[in-house]
Amino acid sequence: MSTRTAVVLPGQGSYHPGVLAALTEDPRLSAVLADIDAVGAARGHGRISDLLRDPAAPTWEELARTRPVTLDLALFAGGVLAWHGLIARGIRSDVLIGHSLGELTALALAGSVSVTDMAGLVCLRAETLQRQSTGLGGMTALGIGAVRANHLVGLLNLPDLTMAVDNGPRQSVVSGPHEALLELERIAQAAGIRATRVSAAYPYHNRILRDSADVVANAVEEMSVAAPAITVYSPILAREVSSAADARTVIGRHLVRPVHFYDGILAVFRSGIDSFAEATGKPVLASLIAGCLPAGVQVATPLQAVSQAAPNTALPQSIPMPDPVAAQPVSPPAVTLAPVAAVTHVAPTAPVAPAAPAAAATPVAAAPVPAVAPAAAVGNAPVTATAPAQGAIHDRAQVLASLREMYAEALEYPIEVLEEDALLEADLGVDSIRQTDLMGRARMLFGLPEPDSSIRTVDFDTLGKIADYVLAAAGSRDLAQAV
């Protein structure tokens, strides 16, 4: 019996400079980027393909701060390129499902809107947000499911505070004005609920963005739109996209409607899908997806091996490529996914050691769309690493060894790859939200207090720096206890 595969298109959080460089060197795949480059250049945003080719290109943080439109177009282009890369590896798209911005990518790949028209819409969306919606608010991730998050939002009853994204059984994302999010975070802390401010430029999936959404909706009315030629499940609609009208609704209203990602993954699985392939070079949603599913379902990021290859690595020449611009309505024969970055799922009822939330969660440099893995998805099991004895907390080698053990267990990585100076995000693909969660676990492991607001998780981007932080914090704690 052949495997039926859902290809998942992540949103913001999937951009890493140069991560798909090996794919861009293949002439068949470089053609995929040519028209997107033309759209970006015509709108004054430069060559997007350079960001995907060059490991020294600007980081997400730099682009988010200085070139947000370019960042969104790079995310879209990366999704398109990754999908073609999966096809080149013989991986079939029985169903496409996107997360937030990834829904637009899925519709373009399924032929509802041409890749070039969708690239233009992605630019228009980002340009309009930058012009009309800057400063309107942000987003906070909560370590609870959607039902409890909705109760919490309803209890607060604050204007424009909205349950925006249901990411799984142990993570929901709320969007709203900054003042409302601060109150949400205060109440969450009092209730023992983890609250992490996502460094989102806007309160996505919230009616606050209706003016920007109207601009996009009006633009898509003037475009040629068709029913998808590949099955597309929309977490925005909470069902399959079955018509051109559905596609217009997804494109025009995705900024203001909530994302039912958890329900979407379950619905796709129940339809007979038994394998999920993430279309990106580094895992973004894989752990999140595994946390939504029963044990034994295959979840992988097949292009992670390609992202680690040197540029000019040739793709298999025996696999025919589809037209690089038009969507492919007929997929290649189904194959079983090689679990290059497979996630072993532990049943979601497993206990999770909670991390104490900050009093007012300080924004961290995380991807602005909340495709973030919750604590339950980072390893999906409680931390069992052994803390060193009290005296050993002042022994750096012992602290580092305990950290390596904990991170290896939580991330399901071989302990030998967790070198002291390996960059957690750039080298190991650990996004800043997961870093925040793991730092919380590290504090629990060593019995350290919550840091003050001057401490930023993103400043501790290697295990060596985290070990130094633990030593310094332990010293300060001991000094305070001695007074």
Side-chain angles (χ1 to χ4, degrees), residues 137-200:
M139 308 186 84
T140 293
L142 300 175
I144 53 177
V147 173
R148 292 181 65 195
N150 266 316
H151 284 317
L152 185 57
V153 169
L155 173 68
L156 291 171
N157 194 29
L158 297 173
D160 295 323
L161 190 68
T162 299
M163 240 296 296
V165 186
D166 177 4
N167 269 336
R170 291 192 180 90
Q171 190 193 81
S172 302
V173 184
V174 175
S175 70
H178 294 298
E179 297 78 7
L181 292 177
L182 286 172
E183 181 65 9
L184 170 73
E185 290 155 3
R186 185 184 70 81
I187 296 299
Q189 180 196 20
I193 298 168
R194 183 187 304 102
T196 304
R197 183 71 67 91
V198 180
S199 186

Side-chain angles (χ1 to χ4, degrees), residues 98-101 103 139 146 163-168 171-173 204-206 234-238 254-264 369-370:
H99 188 290
S100 194
L101 180 63
E103 289 215 42
M139 308 186 84
M163 240 296 296
V165 186
D166 177 4
N167 269 336
Q171 190 193 81
S172 302
V173 184
Y204 291 102
H205 308 294
N206 190 309
S234 167
I236 294 288
L237 298 179
H254 76 283
L255 285 174
V256 295
R257 289 195 179 184
V259 176
H260 305 284
F261 188 68
Y262 183 19
D263 289 344
V369 172

Side-chain angles (χ1 to χ4, degrees), residues 115-298:
V115 168
T116 51
D117 280 351
M118 190 64 83
L121 282 171
V122 169
C123 288
L124 175 66
R125 168 187 179 273
E127 292 161 356
T128 304
L129 285 170
Q130 189 176 26
R131 183 171 61 252
Q132 295 185 351
S133 302
T134 298
L136 290 183
M139 308 186 84
T140 293
L142 300 175
I144 53 177
V147 173
R148 292 181 65 195
N150 266 316
H151 284 317
L152 185 57
V153 169
L155 173 68
L156 291 171
N157 194 29
L158 297 173
D160 295 323
L161 190 68
T162 299
M163 240 296 296
V165 186
D166 177 4
N167 269 336
R170 291 192 180 90
Q171 190 193 81
S172 302
V173 184
V174 175
S175 70
H178 294 298
E179 297 78 7
L181 292 177
L182 286 172
E183 181 65 9
L184 170 73
E185 290 155 3
R186 185 184 70 81
I187 296 299
Q189 180 196 20
I193 298 168
R194 183 187 304 102
T196 304
R197 183 71 67 91
V198 180
S199 186
Y202 312 103
Y204 291 102
H205 308 294
N206 190 309
R207 59 185 174 271
I208 300 177
L209 302 182
R210 55 188 174 271
D211 290 344
S212 294
D214 288 344
V215 172
V216 177
N218 291 335
V220 79
E221 288 300 322
E222 304 300 319
M223 292 183 174
S224 175
V225 179
I230 302 172
T231 301
V232 175
Y233 186 96
S234 167
I236 294 288
L237 298 179
R239 58 178 173 82
E240 289 184 7
V241 179
S242 60
S243 65
D246 281 350
R248 290 183 191 277
T249 299
V250 172
I251 298 167
R253 309 316 300 169
H254 76 283
L255 285 174
V256 295
R257 289 195 179 184
V259 176
H260 305 284
F261 188 68
Y262 183 19
D263 289 344
I265 292 298
L266 288 177
V268 168
F269 168 68
R270 289 168 182 155
S271 74
I273 292 295
D274 47 18
S275 181
F276 290 79
E278 187 179 16
T280 181
K282 289 189 176 182
V284 178
L285 300 173
S287 292
L288 197 65
I289 296 165
C292 297
L293 294 167
V297 180
Q298 194 173 31

